[in-house]
């Protein structure tokens, strides 16, 4: 006989897929006619930029463009030059699911890039980058909160959780037209650009999310007048409104902003010089909104009248404890080894990996950065070198629970340096860190209860009460079940407040 179950639905985040997809890069690179010949190859860079993410019935598909940049010294003037080429790519991984409203996120990491000059105008480029794909959806979980049946006794668990309100992705554009500052020479060609998005404030209101922040744009370019590259930084404020149904000011949010691509186009001024720049940034906001709730569910059951069949099921609930974004200054000394520094033409840092843990009230974030330098060596002239340095920082965050899971992301906001010796550079890197702390709540609960009418419990020869010596810490539920009693009666008869025996003692257990 099936019991009458009482239940409720909890909307929870579920990770449907998480895995990697490798993309090869194989290019025969020929310089366009307007680029001078290669005198010395310095560095070949690849920047994967994702333009679309699709969840199909049988696959997860990603499309994008890998920007390949060849940085070199020209054969005539020995100036630093750069030539770019787009490398479109498509990638997919098998995926079989009928779930709707799946959101796909992707992170790209360059594995390696090899470049060989075949001639002064042709290069052979081989490399690879890895895309880490994560497919997430919000899914209803049905849980049993109560049941009615002959002589039924229920064991319940109550816990604070985060009920998912919305899981949403929004792409948006940031555009700005700027001019070089006074005293800056006009642009001959662009060597390198970078963009990082930093959130200053985010606020949930009824059915909307308001995000305020800055896009920090950096550009390095060469000029016709000097040998040294010029550097510029420009901060572009942005304000975005995202529609998320069901959200309000009581919700907690976990939001990540990523820069998918940055397009730079040069414009001439009234004098015909390239002093105007159009910047077009394509960004993605990945937002998960939660509302705090208290959930109760049945974890075990028995009947004093019949034998019971309980079918268990396992679900995973979570609680968003806190979310924060901060900047940290990381300082480290970098040794260039045999390279003797006469000057630095360009220096930048790239985050290679990120690991995080939570302990003693702090989220500890650590990993490795690649520090890239174009250096004027005292003997070799202009050379490229790259060093790997370790970073670590900690941010205070509140969390409670047994299983705390940090989800963190790190980006380089700015990178400055001081030459402190002929082979030593003091590096000051400002890191923009976003961290969200989740408590994972693995939950084993009763999915259904069935009373076996063919197996009634006999009341003959059953004593009205028994004396039972209980050990300290023993659960009252186990004692009640063994002797066909109830937790409430054991508590009342023995003056016990909690659900466990406070100390070893003799108990009266009534049937």
């Amino acid at each position: 006989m099936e019991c009458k179950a009482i239940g409720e639905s909890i909307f929870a985040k579920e990770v449907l897929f998480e895995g990697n997809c490798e993309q090869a890069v194989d290019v025969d690179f020929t310089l366009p006619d307007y680029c001078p010949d290669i005198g010395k190859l310095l560095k070949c860079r690849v920047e994967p930029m994702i333009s679309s993410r699709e969840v199909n019935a049988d696959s997860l598909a990603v499309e994008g463009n890998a920007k390949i940049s060849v940085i070199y010294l020209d054969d005539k003037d020995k100036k630093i030059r750069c030539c770019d080429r787009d490398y479109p790519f498509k990638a997919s991984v098998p995926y079989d699911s009928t779930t709707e409203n799946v959101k796909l996120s992707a992170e790209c990491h360059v594995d390696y890039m090899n470049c060989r000059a075949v001639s002064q105008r042709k290069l052979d480029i081989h490399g690879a980058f890895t895309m880490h794909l994560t497919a997430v959806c919000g899914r209803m979980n049905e849980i049993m909160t109560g049941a009615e049946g002959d002589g039924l006794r229920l064991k319940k668990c109550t816990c604070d959780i985060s009920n998912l309100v919305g899981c949403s992705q929004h792409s948006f554009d940031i555009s700005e037209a700027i001019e070089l500052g006074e005293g800056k020479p006009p642009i001959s060609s662009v060597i390198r650009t970078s963009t990082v998005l930093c959130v200053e404030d985010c606020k949930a209101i009824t059915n909307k999310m308001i995000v305020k922040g800055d896009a920090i744009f950096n550009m390095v370019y060469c000029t016709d007048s000097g040998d040294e590259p010029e550097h510029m930084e420009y901060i572009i404020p942005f304000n975005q409104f995202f529609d998320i149904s069901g959200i309000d000011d009581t919700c907690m949010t976990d939001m990540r902003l990523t820069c998918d691509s940055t397009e730079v186009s040069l414009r001439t001024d009234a004098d015909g010089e390239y002093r105007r720049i159009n910047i077009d940034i394509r960004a993605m906001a990945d937002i998960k909104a939660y509302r705090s709730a208290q959930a109760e569910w049945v974890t075990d059951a028995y009947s004093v009248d019949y034998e019971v069949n309980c079918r268990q099921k396992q679900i995973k609930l979570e609680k968003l404890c806190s979310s924060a974004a901060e900047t940290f200054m990381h300082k480290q000394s970098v040794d260039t080894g045999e390279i003797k520094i006469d000057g630095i033409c360009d220096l930048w840092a790239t985050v290679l990996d990120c690991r995080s843990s939570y302990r003693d009230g702090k989220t500890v974030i650590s990993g490795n950065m690649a520090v890239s330098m174009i250096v004027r060596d005292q003997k070799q002239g202009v050379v490229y070198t790259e060093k790997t340095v370790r970073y670590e920082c900690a941010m205070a965050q509140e969390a409670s629970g047994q299983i705390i899971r940090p989800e963190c992301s790190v980006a380089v906001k700015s990178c400055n340096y001081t030459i402190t010796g002929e082979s030593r550079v003091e590096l000051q890197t400002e890191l923009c860190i976003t961290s969200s702390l989740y408590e994972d709540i693995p939950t084993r609960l009763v999915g259904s209860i069935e009373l076996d009418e063919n197996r009634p419990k006999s009341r003959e020869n059953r004593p009205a009460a028994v004396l039972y010596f209980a050990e300290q810490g023993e659960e009252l539920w186990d004692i009640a079940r063994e002797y066909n009693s109830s937790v409430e009666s054991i508590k009342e008869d023995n003056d016990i407040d909690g659900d466990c025996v406070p100390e070893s003692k003799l108990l009266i257990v009534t049937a």
Side-chain angles (χ1 to χ4, degrees), residues 191-222:
I191 298 174
R192 181 179 63 83
T193 65
S194 66
T195 305
V196 62
L197 303 177
C198 294
V199 177
E200 296 296 326
D201 187 33
C202 59
K203 183 180 180 181
I205 59 175
T206 303
N207 296 324
K208 289 186 183 296
M209 183 82 177
I210 306 173
V211 180
K212 179 182 178 182
D214 294 322
I216 302 171
F217 172 78
N218 281 274
M219 185 174 76
V220 181
Y221 66 94
C222 64

Side-chain angles (χ1 to χ4, degrees), residues 4 23 25 42 87 90 97 138 170 234 271-272 282 333 340 364 400 418 423 475 506:
K4 181 182 178 181
Q23 176 69 42
V25 178
L42 295 176
Y87 184 84
K90 294 182 179 180
S97 176
H170 301 268
Y234 198 84
D271 297 327
R282 186 71 169 174
S333 183
K340 308 303 179 185
V364 180
S400 60
T418 304
S423 298
E475 288 194 24
L506 195 65

Side-chain angles (χ1 to χ4, degrees), residues 385-400:
T385 185
E386 186 175 298
K387 302 294 181 181
T388 299
V389 300
R390 181 172 176 78
Y391 69 89
E392 182 173 313
C393 55
M395 56 194 299
Q397 281 187 277
E398 293 185 0
S400 60

Side-chain angles (χ1 to χ4, degrees), residues 274-306:
Y274 287 110
R275 302 187 60 84
R276 295 176 177 172
I277 309 160
N278 286 351
I279 305 168
D280 295 297
I281 300 167
R282 186 71 169 174
M284 173 67 76
D286 197 331
I287 304 170
K288 291 181 281 290
Y290 298 87
R291 184 174 286 112
S292 297
Q294 190 175 72
E296 182 182 65
W297 55 86
V298 177
T299 60
D300 200 2
Y302 68 91
S303 170
V304 297
D305 296 330
Y306 298 95

Side-chain angles (χ1 to χ4, degrees), residues 72-74 77-81 222-227:
Y72 66 97
L73 294 180
D74 69 54
D77 299 325
K78 309 302 179 185
K79 287 187 176 182
I80 299 174
R81 307 286 183 177
C222 64
T223 69
D224 290 327
S225 56
D227 294 332

Side-chain angles (χ1 to χ4, degrees), residues 452-470:
D452 192 345
E453 292 180 300
N454 297 321
R455 298 169 62 197
K457 291 184 176 180
S458 175
R459 294 183 178 273
E460 296 180 4
N461 301 321
R462 182 188 298 178
V466 297
L467 294 177
Y468 175 78
F469 186 81

Side-chain angles (χ1 to χ4, degrees), residues 13 99 161 222 304 339:
K13 181 183 72 178
T99 306
I161 66 167
C222 64
V304 297
I339 297 175

Side-chain angles (χ1 to χ4, degrees), residues 5 139 273 278 310 392 436 465:
R139 177 172 287 179
E273 295 180 324
N278 286 351
C310 288
E392 182 173 313
S436 297

